[in-house]
Amino acid sequence: MNHLRYLLTCPVCKKPLKEQPQSFVCKGCTLAYPFVDGVAVMLPEKAKGRNRTASRELDEPKFKQEYAYTRVAEQLERTVQQYGHAEAFCYLNYGYAVCDNKRHSPVTLPANILNRHSIQLTLEVVGDVDIKGADVLEVGSGRGGNLLTMRQYLEPNTLVGMDLCEASVRFCCNTHQYDNMDFCVGDAERLPIATNSVDVVFNLESSHAYPKLNLFWHEVGRVLKPGGYFLYSDILPVEHLHFGLEYLMEIGFAVLRNQDITTNVLQACDEIADGRRAAFGSIAENSEIDFLDFLLATPGTGQYDDMATGAKKYQILTLQKSV
């Protein structure tokens, strides 16, 4: 938590925090955000000193989102721990296959590298933006694979991962122990990060689950330094894309890249479908949640079919905050 403590701020009032033995305490509203097994839990609804009834009424959509998402993440964590090799399950995005679509990443990966498609997607979302020496925040960091990729290939200065699920963050804190990498629990729509404090915000395959995307986009603009980059990619309904671009420009972002990579993602899903069914098929069969659809978009699932029919597009956006 070396550099994380200098970035964190109260997600409610945005005032600085004072570090105590068991929590971060806001110097403004006095809410206390607990450490749980060494993990900073920066969620207002988990803070001490808040009216719980009022909190729940205010944050009902967030409670529903947290419940749905954490069920998936916690069940995945239990399963991979049961089967062993939990540290190998860090890369869960849909993947990117090289085809006729223009590539922007200058990094060429070996053909036989493990998790090649998922690593390639991370690199392609960064694209040709130089993040060497940058302070990077990933919102929706999951099991840490994207930050591992950046650390290995792109030489950023510091890396902070933030996720809604305590189980995922705890896994990352226990597994990815590097001097320049930290993780915390937080809410994408109320980032516990200081204003104008990071060079890059990275968000991949996560925002489609946020109840209020406009709040997330505003928060990204707040925490980025002037001239900072928002590296953003997700699968979204076609009718949402135009509105989203207009809104992002209205709040001060310049669009440097707007690329449809649906073809690349579908090809990747085809190429790695057998491996993913072998790895996760038994989980899906014995689970109330379909991992193959929810997380991996294997052929024949709803997410895959939505991309194949054109109902949804997988888009990469490179955006820059105005100076």
Side-chain angles (χ1 to χ4, degrees), residues 16-240:
L17 303 172
K18 181 179 180 180
E19 187 173 357
Q20 303 282 15
Q22 300 299 323
S23 64
F24 282 115
V25 179
C26 178
K27 295 180 180 179
C29 64
T30 72
L31 286 175
Y33 298 92
F35 303 144
V36 179
D37 297 330
V39 173
V41 179
M42 305 300 299
L43 298 174
E45 59 268 26
K46 299 292 181 71
K48 295 181 180 179
R50 183 167 188 174
N51 183 296
R52 303 296 293 179
T53 302
S55 172
R56 185 170 182 84
E57 289 174 355
L58 178 65
D59 299 326
E60 193 63 35
K62 191 58 58 186
F63 277 86
K64 292 178 180 178
Q65 176 210 14
E66 181 178 359
Y67 176 71
Y69 173 69
T70 54
R71 274 196 311 159
V72 174
E74 288 170 358
Q75 185 168 351
L76 176 61
E77 180 64 25
R78 287 193 300 270
T79 303
V80 296
Q81 292 290 350
Q82 176 184 347
Y83 284 89
H85 308 292
E87 67 281 356
F89 291 91
C90 296
Y91 302 89
L92 293 174
N93 66 53
Y94 296 169
Y96 177 98
V98 176
C99 58
D100 294 338
N101 212 351
K102 180 182 177 181
R103 287 189 61 217
H104 288 256
S105 172
V107 179
T108 300
L109 297 172
N112 60 348
I113 190 173
L114 187 66
N115 296 306
R116 179 173 177 268
H117 291 82
S118 291
I119 292 170
Q120 187 64 64
L121 179 56
T122 302
L123 293 171
E124 196 59 34
V125 174
V126 177
D128 54 11
V129 175
D130 184 5
I131 66 170
K132 184 176 181 178
D135 295 319
V136 178
L137 168 68
E138 180 179 13
V139 181
S141 51
R143 296 172 65 81
N146 298 323
L147 293 182
L148 286 178
T149 297
M150 289 182 236
R151 184 181 184 276
Q152 181 173 357
Y153 295 100
L154 303 174
E155 302 180 67
N157 179 37
T158 62
L159 297 152
V160 170
M162 194 206 76
D163 200 90
L164 188 64
C165 179
E166 288 183 37
S168 297
V169 173
R170 190 174 300 110
F171 167 83
C172 290
C173 289
N174 292 334
T175 307
H176 312 313
Q177 297 183 358
Y178 300 101
D179 289 342
N180 68 337
M181 190 181 293
D182 282 316
F183 297 88
C184 70
V185 177
D187 177 355
E189 296 172 8
R190 287 183 288 195
L191 295 177
I193 303 295
T195 300
N196 297 333
S197 62
V198 296
D199 301 300
V200 174
V201 174
F202 184 92
N203 185 256
L204 171 58
E205 220 170 275
S206 178
S207 71
H208 62 270
Y210 304 165
K212 297 179 181 178
L213 264 177
N214 61 318
L215 297 183
F216 166 58
W217 293 334
H218 271 282
E219 282 288 83
V220 172
R222 180 183 63 80
V223 304
L224 276 173
K225 297 175 184 177
Y229 293 96
F230 181 21
L231 307 177
Y232 182 34
S233 188
D234 209 346
I235 174 175
L236 293 170
V238 172
E239 60 269 20
H240 292 180

